[in-house]
Amino acid sequence: MKILFMNSSPNREGNTYRIGEELLKDKEHDVLQMADYRISQYGQVFDDDEIKDVLKKIDECDVLVIGSPVYWYTVSGMLKTFIDRLYMLPEAETLRGKKLYLFAQGSAPNQDTVKSIEFLSNRLSYLMGMELKGVVTDSLDGKEILSKMKIEN
């Protein structure tokens, strides 16, 4: 099983990255830094859009681990834009059958934040034909993510 860790934080080596790397420390995996790619907003695609490059990287994996900071009570805008763009994009078929783990970390996320992120994860996996294996939302230290989320090979 090939694992891809998709860091959707603009901070390439911040808490989201640190937690993801700790979570996967004993597993062979690749890292995709979303901050390295230009993804246009839904309905405004420009010539330098790179969403298809991201989908090519995802196509090569069996397991997708997405990490996000919590911004405004949900996932990062970078991740939300990526998810928005999947709508009616034929290349998004590459997500079908992938195992999905999603974690989000931030400063004291409340229960509404947790519900929002769980809803988003469930809808993403359902609409894209993915197998949702785990969703954990936690504080900046990520201790709950690290104790609850177990990535299968």
Side-chain angles (χ1 to χ4, degrees):
M1 294 291 239
K2 189 164 181 188
I3 300 171
L4 179 65
F5 169 41
M6 189 166 128
N7 179 18
S8 66
S9 172
N11 186 349
R12 289 174 181 81
E13 295 183 10
N15 287 332
T16 303
Y17 177 77
R18 177 188 54 79
I19 292 166
E21 285 297 293
E22 179 66 22
L23 184 64
L24 294 165
K25 71 180 176 190
D26 297 326
K27 302 193 179 303
E28 188 175 322
H29 66 280
D30 293 325
V31 177
L32 186 149
Q33 296 281 2
M34 291 295 293
D36 293 342
Y37 294 87
R38 291 176 304 278
I39 298 179
S40 304
Q41 296 290 320
Y42 182 75
Q44 299 180 352
V45 180
F46 299 101
D47 291 339
D48 61 351
D49 185 77
E50 296 176 301
I51 194 167
K52 291 179 183 176
D53 297 329
V54 171
L55 290 169
K56 283 179 191 171
K57 297 259 187 206
I58 292 171
D59 188 40
E60 298 169 3
C61 77
D62 304 296
V63 177
L64 180 60
V65 178
I66 299 176
S68 176
V70 174
Y71 292 154
W72 281 96
Y73 311 102
T74 190
V75 297
S76 70
M78 208 176 288
L79 179 55
K80 185 65 173 70
T81 296
F82 172 75
I83 292 170
D84 288 347
R85 284 290 307 286
L86 295 175
Y87 183 70
M88 295 182 67
L89 188 64
E91 291 83 358
E93 279 293 315
T94 193
L95 296 170
R96 187 162 305 285
K98 307 283 185 204
K99 293 180 181 177
L100 173 64
Y101 296 84
L102 191 143
F103 71 86
Q105 58 76 30
S107 181
N110 65 22
Q111 194 56 39
D112 290 332
T113 301
V114 172
K115 283 197 265 185
S116 169
I117 292 170
E118 287 175 349
F119 176 80
L120 179 73
S121 302
N122 279 296
R123 291 303 294 164
L124 172 64
S125 63
Y126 173 76
L127 293 173
M128 294 295 117
M130 302 175 82
E131 182 183 351
L132 184 60
K133 301 297 284 183
V135 180
V136 181
T137 303
D138 195 8
S139 61
L140 295 172
D141 65 13
K143 288 180 183 173
E144 191 169 330
I145 294 165
L146 296 171
S147 69
K148 286 187 174 180
M149 188 168 275
K150 303 298 179 210
I151 311 296
E152 301 171 6
N153 279 5

